[in-house]
């Protein structure tokens, strides 16, 4: 193509190079926002840890989208390829929720079922069979 | 090579790839999916352990050093530099792939060289960070850092940190080696003879994946 239509080939070259650099600036900007928010939190305590973590996760997924879609070019492939790559990754939804829930549950069990804690569990038999649960 | 995409094409009727990419590229994608699950398993087990812990060391306390800055408190600065280097090397890799489409041998060699330099810089940064942490007393099985709530931290923190960043560093290392092999082939004229630079695209996919994993490692270890 570049031999027959030199001018068009050159124009194509310019526009896709521009797109590459645009993606780079987006990725850099997102990273700078992340670091900026982290510093803001360190200095002022705002935004709260929960909000901050939520924002970090969203921004991370956004960065991942740009890398896969633009740099790895998946956004410009046909649907069949996009699906064969992305559908298996849906397992991650279950994977993440199930395991983090499990971890949290372990923490709660360690806290609530440790010998001597909570105090109510020790008190309950002494107070008799009837009454509160 | 890839065939033109037309609206009514029957992709599953045989005769051509239903994914419109070569066998090698499709297999690279499938390898990357499996690798994504390997990294996913590591990061999710890290998350599980962190969720099951009542407290955890503060990354801003642990990762606050910068080469040549002594004891200055600079959280996140060095790892931001590492992130920047890796994103930059991803850009030079796309430019190499792009030059390959143009059949521009010189430009492919130039951008691949920059990608290799970027990868080497990243590895050098990681080597410095590991060495620094090691001298602070951190290693597999050893954790000098305290939890946020002041209690003594278990070695889970350092074990996961060194295992996961180490596994990622290993990927970067193999990526640099692959890039060097491909660069040698480019310079030898192997792909010029073959008529296309698809091998550059394949290692490019791998290289971007390494960058992609770093995005998640960065978030999981340094931000959250």
């Amino acid at each position: 193509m570049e031999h027959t239509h030199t001018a068009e080939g050159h124009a194509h070259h310019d526009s896709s190079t521009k797109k590459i650099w645009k993606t780079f600036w987006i990725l850099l900007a997102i990273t700078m926002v992340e670091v900026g928010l982290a510093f803001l939190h360190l200095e002022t305590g705002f935004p709260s840890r929960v909000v901050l973590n939520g924002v970090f996760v969203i921004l991370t997924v956004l960065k991942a989208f740009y890398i896969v879609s633009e740099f790895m070019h998946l956004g410009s492939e046909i649907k069949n390829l996009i699906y064969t790559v992305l559908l298996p990754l849906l397992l991650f939804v279950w994977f993440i929720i199930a395991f983090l829930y499990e971890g949290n549950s372990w923490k709660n069990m360690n806290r609530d079922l440790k010998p001597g804690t909570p105090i109510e569990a020790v008190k309950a038999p002494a107070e008799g069979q009837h009454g509160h649960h | 090579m890839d065939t033109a995409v037309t609206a009514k094409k029957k992709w599953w009727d045989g005769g051509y790839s239903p994914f419109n990419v070569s066998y090698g590229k499709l297999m690279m994608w499938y390898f990357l999916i499996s690798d994504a699950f390997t990294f996913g398993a590591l990061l999710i087990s890290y998350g599980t352990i962190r969720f099951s812990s009542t407290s955890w060391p503060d990354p801003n306390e642990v990762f606050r050093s910068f080469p040549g800055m002594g004891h200055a408190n600079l959280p996140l600065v060095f790892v931001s530099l590492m992130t920047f280097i890796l994103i930059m090397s991803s850009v030079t890799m796309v430019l190499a792939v792009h030059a390959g489409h143009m059949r521009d041998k010189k430009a492919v060699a130039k951008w691949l060289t920059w990608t290799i330099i970027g990868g080497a810089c990243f590895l050098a940064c990681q080597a410095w960070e590991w060495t620094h942490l090691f001298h602070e007393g951190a290693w597999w099985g050893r954790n000098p850092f305290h939890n946020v709530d002041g209690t003594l931290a278990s070695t889970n923190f350092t074990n996961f940190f060194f295992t996961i960043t180490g596994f990622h560093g290993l990927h970067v290392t193999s990526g640099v080696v692959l890039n060097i092999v491909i660069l040698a082939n480019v310079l030898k004229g192997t792909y010029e003879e073959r008529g296309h630079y698809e091998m550059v695209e394949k290692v490019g996919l791998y290289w971007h994946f390494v960058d992609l994993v770093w995005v998640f490692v960065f978030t999981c270890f340094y931000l959250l």
Side-chain angles (χ1 to χ4, degrees):
Chain A
M1 185 188 81
E2 60 274 17
H3 298 297
T4 43
H5 307 287
T6 320
E8 276 175 44
H10 192 69
H12 173 68
H13 179 90
D14 275 347
S15 74
S16 51
T17 314
K18 227 179 236 170
K19 213 173 172 194
I20 293 166
W21 284 107
K22 194 183 146 199
T23 310
F24 164 73
W25 287 115
I26 291 170
L27 290 173
L28 190 64
I30 296 173
T31 307
M32 280 162 69
V33 168
E34 283 177 334
V35 174
L37 281 172
F39 274 114
L40 185 68
H41 176 80
L42 277 179
E43 296 297 322
T44 65
F46 171 86
S48 71
R49 205 61 240 189
V50 181
V51 175
L52 196 64
N53 286 351
V55 172
F56 283 155
V57 170
I58 291 166
L59 290 178
T60 302
V61 172
L62 194 64
K63 275 207 278 191
F65 168 80
Y66 276 108
I67 290 172
V68 175
S69 171
E70 296 296 333
F71 286 174
M72 299 173 91
H73 213 251
L74 191 64
S76 312
E77 306 285 1
I78 65 165
K79 278 210 169 66
N80 289 345
L81 184 64
I82 296 176
Y83 287 145
T84 194
V85 172
L86 293 186
L87 288 183
L89 297 182
L90 283 179
L91 282 168
F92 270 123
V93 177
W94 160 77
F95 202 6
I96 292 167
I97 292 173
F99 275 81
L100 295 188
Y101 185 85
E102 180 75 6
N104 196 45
S105 159
W106 263 96
K107 181 177 67 190
N108 293 339
M109 281 203 296
N110 278 334
R111 188 189 57 209
D112 298 340
L113 302 179
K114 223 186 246 171
T117 53
I119 295 146
E120 288 89 335
V122 186
K123 266 187 188 167
E127 283 178 11
Q129 285 80 5
H130 40 259
H132 65 274
H133 300 267
Chain B
M1 285 302 286
D2 307 348
T3 46
V5 181
T6 50
K8 275 178 224 151
K9 192 151 181 164
K10 285 181 176 138
W11 289 107
W12 300 99
D13 279 9
Y16 36 74
S17 162
F19 301 108
N20 202 35
V21 289
S22 69
Y23 177 79
K25 244 169 117 176
L26 184 66
M27 290 306 124
M28 179 52 90
W29 272 110
Y30 285 154
F31 164 69
L32 295 181
I33 293 169
S34 76
D35 220 16
F37 277 101
T38 311
F39 271 108
L42 283 169
L43 283 171
I44 291 166
S45 59
Y46 158 76
T48 308
I49 294 299
R50 206 172 153 173
F51 264 67
S52 73
S53 309
T54 42
S55 192
W56 197 257
D58 181 1
N60 295 312
E61 287 290 317
V62 178
F63 310 109
R64 59 175 182 188
S65 305
F66 197 89
M69 301 296 279
H71 293 288
N73 185 28
L74 297 164
L76 280 172
V77 178
F78 190 56
V79 74
S80 302
L81 175 72
M82 286 168 75
T83 306
F84 173 75
I85 290 170
L86 212 54
I87 292 177
M88 205 59 224
S89 80
S90 237
V91 173
T92 55
M93 183 46 108
V94 198
L95 291 170
V97 169
H98 183 66
H101 287 151
M102 300 287 148
R103 300 276 307 271
D104 186 346
K105 182 179 158 182
K106 250 188 168 166
V108 176
K110 178 182 80 178
W111 291 120
L112 261 181
T113 307
W114 279 115
T115 309
I116 292 163
I117 292 171
C121 286
F122 179 85
L123 286 171
C125 289
Q126 200 168 40
W128 182 86
E129 192 185 36
W130 274 42
T131 311
H132 178 77
L133 287 170
F134 179 78
H135 288 310
E136 286 194 319
W139 201 239
W140 275 280
R142 281 197 278 138
N143 183 10
F145 306 110
H146 285 259
N147 285 330
V148 177
D149 64 3
T151 54
L152 208 64
S154 75
T155 56
N156 285 331
F157 173 73
T158 40
N159 289 347
F160 272 113
F161 175 79
F162 286 114
T163 302
I164 293 176
T165 59
F167 196 53
H168 177 264
L170 197 66
H171 275 73
V172 178
T173 311
S174 14
V176 170
V177 171
L178 285 173
N179 286 343
I180 291 172
V181 172
I182 299 300
L183 175 63
N185 284 340
V186 169
L187 294 175
K188 262 197 328 200
T190 309
Y191 307 128
E192 202 59 50
E193 222 170 279
R194 198 177 284 178
H196 59 81
Y197 282 82
E198 205 190 70
M199 281 308 287
V200 180
E201 288 182 50
K202 286 177 209 162
V203 291
L205 283 176
Y206 178 76
W207 191 255
H208 297 311
F209 174 77
V210 169
D211 183 24
L212 178 69
V213 169
W214 181 253
V215 165
F216 285 93
V217 172
F218 174 64
T219 303
C220 292
F221 278 101
Y222 297 89
L223 293 177
L224 295 180

